[in-house]
Amino acid sequence: MTSNQNYNITPQKPLSSGFDKHSTAKDILKGIDLSNKICIVTGGYSGIGLETTRALAEAGATVVVPARSMDKARDALLDIPTCGIGRA
């Protein structure tokens, strides 16, 4: 028995969402009001997590970012007013 006989193949189809590999978090959240919502973003103080945190906060959400390194997180999130930092 060959290894490919153990798997069923599911054909992949585009979702036609209007977004592509160049879409940003801000593009996706455009026009969405997240006021009175609380979001938790793990890894939200670096890389793509930081950009996600920023986009959610700009859309009105209160964003909680668990962190191991409080100083690093505090420095990265300093300019995001609706963001809280918690120890992981």
Side-chain angles (χ1 to χ4, degrees):
M1 179 182 291
T2 61
S3 62
N4 66 351
Q5 291 176 337
N6 294 328
Y7 301 100
N8 292 324
I9 297 174
T10 303
Q12 302 296 306
K13 298 178 185 175
L15 295 175
S16 303
S17 67
F19 301 109
D20 62 20
K21 64 182 178 182
H22 302 290
S23 300
T24 65
K26 289 180 185 180
D27 294 335
I28 294 166
L29 291 172
K30 187 176 181 177
I32 296 175
D33 180 13
L34 296 177
S35 298
N36 300 315
K37 302 292 182 189
I38 299 173
C39 301
I40 301 171
V41 181
T42 58
Y45 59 96
S46 66
I48 195 169
L50 178 58
E51 294 308 311
T52 300
T53 298
R54 186 172 282 115
L56 290 167
E58 288 176 4
T62 297
V63 185
V64 177
V65 178
R68 290 183 185 175
S69 172
M70 297 296 284
D71 292 334
K72 183 177 176 182
R74 192 175 295 108
D75 291 345
L77 301 169
L78 199 57
D79 65 332
I80 304 174
T82 60
C83 189
I85 305 167
R87 184 169 302 277

